[in-house]
Amino acid sequence: MIDIHSHILPGLDDGAPDLQESLEMARIAVNDGIHTIIATPHTLNGIYLNSRSQVLARTGELRAAFAKDQIKLKLFPGSEVHLNLGMAEKLFSGETVALNDNQRYLLLEFPFHSIPPGAKQEIFQLQLKGITPILAHAERNYGFQQHFEQLYEFVGMGCLVQITAMSITGDLGRETRLCAQKMLECRLAHIIASDAHSATHRPPILSLGVKKAAKILGSTEQAEEMVTARPSAILAGEKIVIPEPEQPVKKRWFFLF
Ligand SMILES: [Fe+2]
């Protein structure tokens, strides 16, 4: 399996605080059947600012540490970019780094409480430069939980959607689990990732989420594609063909008199 969302680089954000934790996370990932991870530290979110050069350097250092400890895990650079103005320019100027540094896929994080009004405009600007945004853990966003039909619109305009394994298993709360389930049922989730932050509370484990997703989708093959073929295409910067999503039914209110 390939994990495209992980805070495994030490000391860059609220993920692994030091090298020991990074190595422990790597061992857990390998144990779970993960052979490749993209390191995606937070950036441009008003707290963390991790430049392309910084991420590339830290990725190189952690790769060397894996080799020294004989940990068989491939590591690639990336970042989790908070939605903000001028993201495309920031990518091309080196202020930040796309997934596997290939200027093709960007892991994009919305604020947790809302869907900002200018989001579609900013996404369109990325698309004009040939960059496909991947919405990070949309199931955890309160805006999508309340206005699920909006996710269909973002997918319709060409976004991919990443869902977090622990959301599917119910470890991140009921609302998040229900939203994750609905996303899978409507084919509005395309990639499963761990969003791992530590070896203990948020570990890099995909298998449990994939197993549950297979039940919801009624297909092991489709669930596995979300951690194999699609992430592999993202790494290679290749196009991904997604299934036609189902249009979600809008909430209706009935009043009895
Ligand atoms: Fe994350």
Side-chain angles (χ1 to χ4, degrees), residues 5-7 13-14 40-42 80 107 109 112 136-137 140 162 164 194-197 202:
H5 185 167
S6 167
H7 301 265
D13 63 0
D14 57 347
T40 53
H42 291 287
E80 179 177 13
L107 186 64
E109 181 186 42
F112 273 104
H137 42 63
R140 299 183 64 198
Q162 175 257 310
T164 295
S194 75
D195 191 15
H197 277 69
R202 311 249 319 255

Side-chain angles (χ1 to χ4, degrees), residues 103-115:
Q103 314 293 43
R104 185 69 186 83
Y105 290 100
L106 181 77
L107 186 64
L108 181 62
E109 181 186 42
F110 282 10
F112 273 104
H113 54 273
S114 67
I115 304 164

